[in-house]
Amino acid sequence: MIIMAVDLGKARTGIAVSDAMESFAFPKEVITEYNTDRLVEKIVAAAKKYSAQLIVAGLPKNMDGTAGSRAEECTEIAEKIRTASKIETILWDERCTTVAAYTALDAAGTYGKKRKNTVDAVAATIILEGYLAFRKNKG
């Protein structure tokens, strides 16, 4: 099954996609959009473009595990994605994924504008890798 991960941001949203065997996660694109309705439309279009059969949306919990206002916003957006796409959409804890993405980009020597334009797709890839590992271990 092809699974698409979404790292929802206020301005930029990262997209990553798995292979059909659910073994690897690949960063695909960053959607720049401030309007929630247009963002949902673009995410649904990406899901169709990549033939996603499941969407995993990052849930930005607080470090203590509680859900703050941004987590509530992401929950609402995930529901809009599910409704618009008719694809099962689940929420996945994304704590520290952006920090991990910056660390990975540092290790790869990626800085400046390229870093800013890719960090969200890398964060989505990290979200997806975590979810794929969970699926593999629960089976």
Side-chain angles (χ1 to χ4, degrees):
M1 169 187 330
I2 296 174
I3 302 171
M4 185 175 89
V6 180
D7 179 40
L8 295 163
K10 291 266 189 194
R12 290 180 305 279
T13 295
I15 303 290
V17 178
S18 76
D19 63 322
M21 298 299 294
E22 301 177 21
S23 299
F24 300 101
F26 304 96
K28 290 294 185 178
E29 63 184 274
V30 174
I31 298 168
T32 302
E33 183 58 66
Y34 295 90
N35 179 282
T36 301
D37 292 334
R38 286 194 299 267
L39 174 62
V40 169
E41 289 173 9
K42 290 178 180 182
I43 292 169
V44 170
K48 290 178 183 173
K49 176 167 110 177
Y50 299 119
S51 303
Q53 296 162 288
L54 175 67
I55 299 171
V56 177
L59 181 64
K61 291 183 178 179
N62 295 322
M63 291 308 289
D64 65 1
T66 60
S69 62
R70 185 65 188 148
E72 291 171 11
E73 290 173 33
C74 289
T75 300
E76 291 171 14
I77 294 169
E79 180 57 28
K80 289 179 180 184
I81 293 167
R82 186 199 62 73
T83 300
S85 69
K86 308 286 191 255
I87 299 171
E88 180 183 1
T89 302
I90 63 166
L91 293 162
W92 189 254
D93 186 354
E94 69 164 47
R95 280 179 282 184
C96 298
T97 55
T98 301
V99 172
Y102 278 115
T103 301
L105 290 170
D106 285 347
T110 305
Y111 300 100
K113 190 172 184 174
K114 181 167 172 94
R115 174 186 177 116
K116 181 179 178 182
N117 291 337
T118 60
V119 70
D120 299 294
V122 173
T125 305
I126 294 168
I127 291 167
L128 185 53
E129 287 171 341
Y131 183 72
L132 293 174
F134 167 78
R135 281 177 66 94
K136 188 175 190 177
N137 291 329
K138 82 168 192 169

